[in-house]
Amino acid sequence: MISRLLIANRGEIARRIAAACRELGIESVAVYSEADSRAPHRLAADRSVAIGPAAAAESYLQIGRLIDAARQSGADAIHPGYGFLSENPAFAAACADAGLTFVGPPADVIARMGSKIEARRVAEAAGVPVVPGGTPPDQSDAGIRQEALRIGLPVLVKASAGGGGKGMRTVRTEAELDAAIPAARREATAAFGDGTLYVERLVDRPRHVEVQVFGDHHGRVVHLFERECSVQRRHQKIIEESPSPVLTPAVRARMTRAALAAAQAVGYRNAGTIEFLLDGTGDEARFYFLEMNTRLQVEHPVTEAVTGVDLVRAQIEVAAGAPLPWRQEELTQRGHAIECRVYAEDPAQGFIPQAGPLRLYREPVRPGIRIDSGVVEGGEVSVYYDPMLAKLIAAGESREAARARAMAALRAYAVLGIRTNIPFLLQILGHPRFQAADIDTGFLDREGPAFVAGLAAPAAVPAAVLAAAAVHEAQPADRAARTAAQAGVVNDPWELLDNWRG
Amino acid sequence: MAQQKLTIRAGDTSCTVEVLTGLDEAALGRVAVEGEAEPLQVARLQPGAYQVTHGDRTRPVFVAGTRDACWVFMDGQVFQLEVAASTARRRPQAGAHEALSAPMPATVVKVLVAPGQAVKRGDTLIVLEARKMELPVRAPGDGVVAAIDCREGDLVQPGTPLLEFE
């Protein structure tokens, strides 16, 4: 039994977890840094504990402070969310040592699957195909270079310690190696505090398809089908969907079987994801094990939309010892869902991250649209954390219906005060190749310049825009309301909670 | 409300707009926009949220900010405008001399150019790092680097000049 759960995270995922706690009748405890004392995630929980300065390394990444916060607030469980400490085996171990239920797999499973070498070994032993590559024992620039040439170009040079595309470089020619190795090492060191590099053969024009798995403490593991996340910019996922538009039933069956084999081989518990590279289409398509994410994924809502389950609630119940709430044969995929990540960045200016006040923030509310967000109007987007503001998930009976819903909702998603990538998302969703599902993980990097050119401001500002601006600026009453919004004044605290729409 | 003539600027372009009637009790107003034959009707729904009827088409438009930095959203697009009483004089255009600054607090990772160096539009001049991501600072046009105001390893704040460019 869990009666009070500490959420070791911030932003949209912390609100998502707090909402699940409310449904389960579990008290939630938020943690917040000095920069987040007025953040919506803090107010979404029943209690909150300050954990230190703004820099994540001194707050959200401090295992000791989080354990202390749990003790201080009387929590008996911790949900790590994604990112931060979610895949840190020392954190899971510290929770266990403190007698706290960790909502996730055991520390040794996180450690095994967190090591790319060990994860590959587990996959290979379970009969799951892997891409050629490895972590060179000689980590000097020359050593990495030699390994890259041994595997054969093109290769990926990436951080051995982490994911999320940080510290990752594509190298197609020998000449590019010299610049790529130190750059990857710098980013790896900055992001993970560990500059160890991993080199792997690059599968040309692959798709990224991953399988959601879920295990309980009673030896059962199920899969919840796949998500396709091929729309990536510099290895960062931007749009995800389920089902994959190209997976045939035969390949889906093989891939989910492989994912279950890998999860069972490692004794997996709780929610996890096995990522694959998909090479080719049709029944002959091949796939390779990429890595396992031993946590909830950012894109979990698309799986929730097509399977009708609540993954976060199941995570908490399973962590408390309950058996899996579903049998494999009960799980089906129905319809189609597309998730768009809304980032505070300016696509017209080289995707520079944006920081500043959210002068106006209105989420579209309509059938088939779910928005998981970490911000509110009048709040401040700070420079300290990930620039993702929200995720917009559109569901419909077909891929085309979901795509049309996503586009209509994004066109009505008003965010003012900082620039967002919404115009860029609209360009992708409207692109004939996205519509035809003719995409691979390199799609955006190849087509990017054309997209950015398409983002240039129109030569003339529409008359309707000018008219609204004129009325707004001529209206003293609005100015007063605006000032209140800018000051972050929220009259009704419950307003802050109603952004979660299950 | 008395009629109000405003000049609205967006980048290099400007347009004169006249508020014929401000919002009445039904929160409806009429605006004449330079170049448009008929006035547009603007209805206020909520603070910052309007329905604008232009000819036979009605669309939602959102507005926030201040006169100097007025933000407008319509149909997935964001516009940044400057609104001024139309008697106000235009601010002088920025000269050819331009300083590039950091968009956010960041660390200078690499300075790739030297004073006097000729660069082309889009060339990477400086590499910053923020939020664990590398951010290239690129040349806004063809030109010459006039001066460099930062060093590798510097922590820079938004607005701090990094490099002068002409």
Side-chain angles (χ1 to χ4, degrees):
Chain A
M1 265 301 287
I2 293 171
S3 57
R4 192 174 294 165
L5 182 143
L6 181 128
I7 303 162
N9 216 300
R10 65 180 301 285
E12 65 89 17
I13 194 60
R15 289 171 105 184
R16 167 75 182 90
I17 296 163
C21 288
R22 255 175 225 287
E23 289 174 15
L24 287 163
I26 292 173
E27 280 187 57
S28 55
V29 181
V31 293
Y32 62 97
S33 71
E34 282 165 16
D36 275 341
S37 62
R38 290 153 60 95
H41 83 265
R42 178 185 174 194
L43 302 168
D46 296 315
R47 297 156 192 259
S48 60
V49 182
I51 50 160
E58 295 173 55
S59 49
Y60 296 105
L61 290 171
Q62 283 285 330
I63 293 175
R65 292 197 186 162
L66 290 161
I67 301 288
D68 286 349
R71 284 215 184 92
Q72 183 193 326
S73 59
D76 48 12
I78 293 190
H79 194 308
Y82 55 71
F84 292 134
L85 293 169
S86 61
E87 292 184 280
N88 184 319
F91 184 49
C95 290
D97 290 347
L100 297 161
T101 300
F102 180 76
V103 180
D108 63 305
V109 173
I110 298 176
R112 281 185 80 187
M113 299 316 270
S115 149
K116 289 198 167 74
I117 308 166
E118 184 58 21
R120 272 169 66 96
R121 220 175 271 150
V122 169
E124 278 184 289
V128 179
V130 298
V131 179
T135 303
D138 176 2
Q139 281 284 318
S140 69
D141 286 6
I144 305 287
R145 186 189 171 86
Q146 200 179 354
E147 178 69 2
L149 297 175
R150 191 188 64 77
I151 290 164
L153 299 176
V155 295
L156 278 179
V157 179
K158 55 187 185 181
S160 190
K166 295 199 169 98
M168 184 156 6
R169 286 289 186 283
T170 301
V171 181
R172 291 183 181 277
T173 65
E174 216 178 316
E176 288 168 7
L177 270 173
D178 294 329
I181 294 167
R185 202 190 300 280
R186 264 202 312 274
E187 276 189 26
T189 308
F192 308 109
D194 179 353
T196 307
L197 295 178
Y198 182 89
V199 187
E200 145 188 295
R201 162 80 64 74
L202 178 71
V203 178
D204 237 356
R205 304 211 168 188
R207 287 170 170 265
H208 175 117
V209 180
E210 59 188 31
V211 176
Q212 176 73 54
V213 295
F214 214 120
D216 66 13
H217 293 239
H218 310 280
R220 284 176 55 214
V221 185
V222 299
H223 73 81
L224 293 102
F225 305 96
E226 83 283 4
R227 293 182 288 260
E228 174 156 354
C229 319
S230 297
V231 180
Q232 306 183 357
R233 199 182 74 81
R234 296 171 65 190
H235 303 285
Q236 183 78 49
K237 296 168 185 172
I238 297 180
I239 294 178
E240 302 101 337
E241 59 188 307
S242 184
S244 160
V246 295
L247 222 54
T248 65
V251 179
R252 178 174 294 116
R254 282 197 280 134
M255 188 183 278
T256 52
R257 208 159 45 230
L260 284 178
Q264 277 157 347
V266 74
Y268 199 75
R269 293 210 297 258
N270 221 287
T273 294
I274 315 265
E275 297 189 338
F276 295 100
L277 285 181
L278 181 69
D279 190 6
T281 53
D283 283 347
E284 300 313 307
R286 291 190 299 174
F287 56 83
Y288 303 101
F289 172 84
L290 198 58
E291 61 181 28
M292 178 166 198
N293 294 315
T294 54
R295 55 170 165 85
L296 187 70
Q297 299 276 100
V298 175
E299 59 271 25
H300 74 274
V302 295
T303 297
E304 294 184 326
V306 296
T307 61
V309 309
D310 185 328
L311 288 170
V312 178
R313 195 181 64 214
Q315 277 194 297
I316 298 168
E317 288 174 339
V318 164
L324 276 173
W326 340 279
R327 288 194 308 274
Q328 185 69 63
E329 58 274 22
E330 291 170 345
L331 294 165
T332 54
Q333 273 172 314
R334 180 168 177 271
H336 201 100
I338 299 176
E339 174 181 280
C340 304
R341 299 193 189 185
V342 177
Y343 287 108
E345 61 186 18
D346 186 356
Q349 302 291 327
F351 294 91
I352 286 174
Q354 302 283 293
L358 278 174
R359 296 186 187 280
L360 185 140
Y361 178 82
R362 308 282 162 89
E363 295 177 351
V365 180
R366 48 185 69 193
I369 296 295
R370 159 177 167 184
I371 293 177
D372 285 15
S373 65
V375 296
V376 288
E377 185 166 302
E380 185 90 12
V381 176
S382 82
V383 298
Y384 297 105
Y385 312 109
D386 187 275
M388 192 176 82
L389 297 178
K391 311 180 301 206
L392 181 146
I393 303 98
E397 57 270 47
S398 64
R399 184 171 190 267
E400 191 48 31
R403 192 185 71 92
R405 276 186 166 162
M407 289 189 74
L410 285 169
R411 285 204 187 99
Y413 198 160
V415 183
L416 296 177
I418 55 164
R419 293 274 174 176
T420 74
N421 67 335
I422 287 175
F424 184 61
L425 290 168
L426 283 166
Q427 289 230 342
I428 300 168
L429 292 168
H431 195 282
R433 285 191 49 201
F434 181 84
Q435 201 168 352
D438 177 22
I439 38 173
D440 59 77
T441 56
F443 169 64
L444 280 191
D445 292 333
R446 282 193 307 275
E447 306 273 336
F451 281 124
V452 172
L455 293 168
V461 179
V465 166
L466 297 169
V471 166
H472 187 78
E473 293 306 337
Q475 214 62 29
D478 266 16
R479 235 173 271 145
R482 196 168 62 241
T483 311
Q486 274 162 20
V489 175
V490 177
N491 294 325
D492 178 359
W494 291 100
E495 271 180 36
L496 294 166
L497 298 173
D498 71 7
N499 277 300
W500 164 246
R501 299 178 191 100
Chain B
M1 176 179 290
Q3 296 193 359
Q4 240 182 314
K5 238 184 188 166
L6 301 166
T7 300
I8 301 183
R9 303 207 320 131
D12 300 334
T13 64
S14 72
C15 183
T16 306
V17 174
E18 192 173 356
V19 180
L20 302 172
T21 51
L23 296 181
D24 59 16
E25 278 161 19
L28 277 173
R30 281 190 323 131
V31 181
V33 176
E34 184 186 340
E36 298 295 333
E38 294 289 318
L40 284 77
Q41 201 173 68
V42 179
R44 196 185 76 119
L45 305 178
Q46 282 171 26
Y50 301 87
Q51 291 275 10
V52 181
T53 304
H54 183 198
D56 56 3
R57 188 146 181 223
T58 298
R59 282 188 287 194
V61 184
F62 296 85
V63 189
T66 59
R67 284 193 165 204
D68 287 345
C70 177
W71 292 72
V72 187
F73 174 93
M74 185 175 82
D75 203 19
Q77 277 198 305
V78 173
F79 301 86
Q80 276 175 276
L81 310 171
E82 274 177 62
V83 181
S86 66
T87 49
R89 300 185 70 173
R90 280 194 175 201
R91 284 198 295 182
Q93 287 282 343
H97 202 83
E98 197 176 344
L100 298 181
S101 60
M104 58 188 296
T107 309
V108 179
V109 178
K110 277 234 165 298
V111 177
L112 299 166
V113 290
Q117 190 173 335
V119 294
K120 289 215 164 356
R121 176 188 170 86
D123 283 356
T124 302
L125 309 176
I126 289 175
V127 180
L128 301 176
E129 188 191 276
R131 286 210 192 98
K132 300 172 188 169
M133 296 288 285
E134 292 195 354
L135 305 173
V137 176
R138 297 183 201 278
D142 294 352
V144 174
V145 177
I148 292 175
D149 306 324
C150 64
R151 278 179 309 185
E152 290 177 11
D154 280 1
L155 267 169
V156 292
Q157 295 299 319
T160 311
L162 298 173
L163 179 144
E164 280 147 53
F165 183 82
E166 40 181 44

